[in-house]
Amino acid sequence: MDIPLSENGQPAWAVATLFPCQGQWSEHDYLSLPTNHLIELSDGRLEVLAMPTERHQLVALWLYRKLDDWVKANQLGIALAAPMRMRTSEGRFRDPDVLFMRGEHSSRRHNAYWDGADFVAEVVSEDDPDRDRVVKRQEYAKVGIPEYWILDPRDQSIAVLVLDPGQSEYREAMVVSGQEIARSIHLPGFEVVTAEAFDHKH
């Protein structure tokens, strides 16, 4: 968030006392936070995310449009693109690049956030690739999100991860690149040509 300045140009540090200390943020504090920055909540701590790059946004929005068109055509539910807070467990919120909720699970949708999702996708961030490839992979599986796609601009690949019944870790259904097709497992019929996700020259 923007740091207010005092009259002599120094940060007005007293403003910080109006907010909880790291480790003490509640869900109410987090949801009431007035900011346009990308911020996630994890175990009482705020995680300020780097502003997405143009490449990141082009990939994320391309996938969102593909998914949204397919979901609407099949009347399956609703797809959204970030920013949209998703509660993964008590005291923990994430903001996936793309997320989808089935119509029959609409009770899990709230105006300020969703309780989980039926499909999420993340574009690997340049500032901290492990957040998407490791940390969120473990977290999304733990809370039972059935399918997680990881789109990695570095090697232009898409990993399709699925959660098998009774499991708490994702299985790699496929990792594809080039002209190979990434196919959803839990949304049969939704598929994309991998290279198209990263080909944004105009």
Side-chain angles (χ1 to χ4, degrees):
M1 68 187 67
D2 295 333
I3 300 176
L5 300 180
S6 60
E7 291 183 1
N8 64 3
Q10 295 299 311
W13 296 115
V15 173
T17 64
L18 301 176
F19 297 96
C21 296
Q22 282 286 50
Q24 298 177 4
W25 282 79
S26 68
E27 291 188 1
H28 174 76
D29 295 330
Y30 169 73
L31 293 171
S32 301
L33 189 62
T35 179
N36 62 351
H37 287 254
L38 300 177
I39 297 177
E40 297 179 333
L41 177 67
S42 179
D43 298 327
R45 300 178 62 86
L46 295 185
E47 297 181 7
V48 181
L49 308 182
M51 191 59 63
T53 62
E54 179 184 79
R55 180 173 66 170
H56 183 285
Q57 288 298 83
L58 287 172
V59 175
L61 291 175
W62 178 89
L63 180 64
Y64 162 71
R65 287 191 290 268
K66 288 288 187 180
L67 180 62
D68 185 53
D69 288 346
W70 186 83
V71 165
K72 288 178 178 175
N74 291 277
Q75 300 181 333
L76 292 179
I78 184 170
L80 290 178
M84 181 63 201
R85 292 162 168 161
M86 181 183 73
R87 186 176 187 263
T88 57
S89 61
E90 184 175 355
R92 192 181 293 264
F93 286 80
R94 294 300 185 184
D95 192 356
D97 289 313
V98 179
L99 61 169
F100 161 75
M101 188 79 80
R102 291 184 178 277
E104 58 265 35
H105 297 155
S106 61
S107 63
R108 292 162 50 193
R109 289 172 39 211
H110 313 289
N111 190 48
Y113 65 93
W114 284 8
D115 276 315
D118 293 306
F119 172 101
V120 296
E122 299 279 10
V123 178
V124 174
S125 300
E126 296 178 8
D127 68 304
D128 187 1
D130 283 348
R131 182 171 55 242
D132 301 309
R133 299 191 64 90
V134 179
V135 177
K136 290 186 177 181
R137 174 176 179 158
Q138 295 172 347
E139 187 173 325
Y140 293 164
K142 185 177 179 180
V143 298
I145 295 174
E147 188 163 336
Y148 175 31
W149 284 25
I150 302 175
L151 293 83
D152 196 334
R154 298 173 303 174
D155 61 4
Q156 300 192 355
S157 68
I158 298 178
V160 176
L161 311 178
V162 295
L163 197 61
D164 293 324
Q167 299 300 307
S168 59
E169 295 183 1
Y170 283 120
R171 168 177 61 85
E172 287 189 355
M174 64 185 73
V175 179
V176 293
S177 60
Q179 295 302 312
E180 296 177 308
I181 296 176
R183 293 184 172 88
S184 174
I185 305 302
H186 288 282
L187 302 176
F190 177 63
E191 58 185 44
V192 299
V193 177
T194 306
E196 293 179 2
F198 306 100
D199 184 17
H200 305 285
K201 298 177 182 178
H202 49 272

